[in-house]
Amino acid sequence: MTVVIAGCGDLGTEAGLRFAAAGHEVVGLRRSPEKLPAEIRGVYADLSNAVPELPADVDLVVVAVAADSSTEEAYRAAYVNGVKNVLDALERQSLEPRRILFVSSTAVYKDSGGAVVDETTPTEPTRFSGKVLVEAEDLLFARTLGTNTQPISLRLGGIYGPGRTRLIDQVRSGQAVIPAQTRHTNRVHRDDAAAMIVHLTTMDQDPEPVYVGVDDHAVEMGEVMRFLASELGCPEPPTAAPGGASDAGPGDKRCSNKRLRATGFEFTFPTYQEGYRALLAGEGVRHP
């Protein structure tokens, strides 16, 4: 099959290498195509403005864009414009790929007070990031309705992996502070996130429109920090004073991966422990 990855950064490149290893042709669209490995044919594109001509035989499209900064304008340019411009390019060429997968985020859900959320939970984001992502998802679903293309939104939790070591660095340097309020973190290793993209776009069964992409264990942030301190041989981080600046955060929810698991997906890193141990052992590379 021919796969187009629109937004071929670290995650998109890892997914692209996996598609290529499975024997597929892979085209990666990004502003610095020269950085892509030889297995992915790089094409220059600024997805926030326009998308160049796509391969006429495209079977699968993955939209894995990232915002340049954490402002509403940057999010809108990346996600809404990115999805719109990819869909415009397909329409312009009268192309209907078999599946289009949009990499979204669990930011589309509001704070649930620690309750479990899944694909059936209403998207009621309170922050602009979640609102923009919902808008991009809705655009994908609306414009593929009545076509031969199956749309998929993959709502990933917090991605960690090679080169994404902020929490490790904070614990190691003694700057980590455990929130006073209970707050669960929903995580996914980059390699598992890439594997999900390949699995959902190539599996035999028809996909659902939405999947939550998190590992098996929604865990309290303090537990992760204590684990890292133990693995690193560092002092346990202190706990924040209630109501302090370190206690502010994105709310508390526990995301469920049951729908994803039901498709037969298997994790390499089912919990943060396996994932962080691999990181601490220096496994994997971050793609430029």
Side-chain angles (χ1 to χ4, degrees):
M1 289 190 286
T2 299
V3 184
V4 170
I5 300 181
C8 210
D10 178 45
L11 176 60
T13 299
E14 181 63 29
L17 288 170
R18 289 163 185 257
F19 280 120
H24 304 304
E25 291 287 321
V26 185
V27 178
L29 309 181
R30 62 181 281 174
R31 283 178 292 200
S32 47
E34 70 283 353
K35 291 180 179 175
L36 290 171
E39 296 93 328
I40 300 173
R41 179 161 69 84
V43 173
Y44 174 82
D46 178 356
L47 299 170
S48 64
N49 288 317
V51 172
E53 188 163 323
L54 299 172
D57 61 347
V58 60
D59 298 288
L60 307 173
V61 176
V62 176
V63 183
V65 290
D68 288 337
S69 65
S70 54
T71 65
E72 184 167 352
E73 294 73 25
Y75 265 67
R76 190 165 291 284
Y79 297 107
V80 177
N81 290 6
V83 168
K84 177 185 180 297
N85 290 330
V86 168
L87 293 170
D88 284 351
L90 292 168
E91 198 172 279
R92 203 163 51 236
Q93 295 177 242
S94 301
L95 301 176
E96 288 192 1
R98 199 158 65 92
R99 291 175 187 166
I100 300 178
L101 183 144
F102 171 60
V103 177
S104 186
S105 162
T106 55
V108 300
Y109 301 113
K110 67 176 182 179
D111 177 3
S112 70
V116 174
V117 301
D118 64 14
E119 295 84 358
T120 66
T121 305
T123 53
E124 298 170 328
T126 52
R127 297 179 172 216
F128 75 79
S129 54
K131 290 176 182 176
V132 170
L133 287 164
V134 169
E135 192 178 329
E137 288 184 5
D138 288 347
L139 183 64
L140 173 63
F141 296 142
R143 289 192 50 183
T144 51
L145 196 66
T147 71
N148 293 315
T149 300
Q150 296 173 319
I152 306 166
S153 177
L154 176 59
R155 296 172 178 167
L156 294 176
I159 302 173
Y160 71 102
R164 301 175 193 248
T165 57
R166 187 178 61 175
L167 194 57
I168 293 171
D169 298 338
Q170 287 175 344
V171 172
R172 186 180 269 135
S173 65
Q175 293 177 312
V177 178
I178 295 170
Q181 269 185 306
T182 298
R183 191 185 316 142
H184 288 85
T185 171
N186 299 275
R187 294 177 172 253
V188 61
H189 191 285
R190 185 222 39 204
D191 291 3
D192 281 329
M196 289 173 195
I197 290 170
V198 177
H199 174 75
L200 292 173
T201 51
T202 59
M203 65 183 183
D204 290 338
Q205 69 204 77
D206 285 342
E208 297 279 354
V210 176
Y211 291 91
V212 171
V214 296
D215 68 20
D216 286 343
H217 190 36
V219 60
E220 227 181 299
M221 182 60 90
E223 185 183 319
V224 181
M225 292 181 178
R226 291 186 193 99
F227 168 81
L228 288 174
S230 172
E231 293 288 310
L232 290 163
C234 296
E236 189 175 296
T239 299
S246 302
D247 208 27
D252 189 30
K253 58 195 174 215
R254 291 182 294 145
C255 299
S256 166
N257 66 13
K258 280 185 181 173
R259 178 179 286 182
L260 176 69
R261 277 285 198 186
T263 66
F265 182 79
E266 293 290 339
F267 285 83
T268 302
F269 306 103
T271 79
Y272 73 94
Q273 294 188 352
E274 294 90 349
Y276 274 116
R277 281 190 177 127
L279 271 189
L280 294 171
E283 293 176 21
V285 294
R286 182 158 186 173
H287 305 295

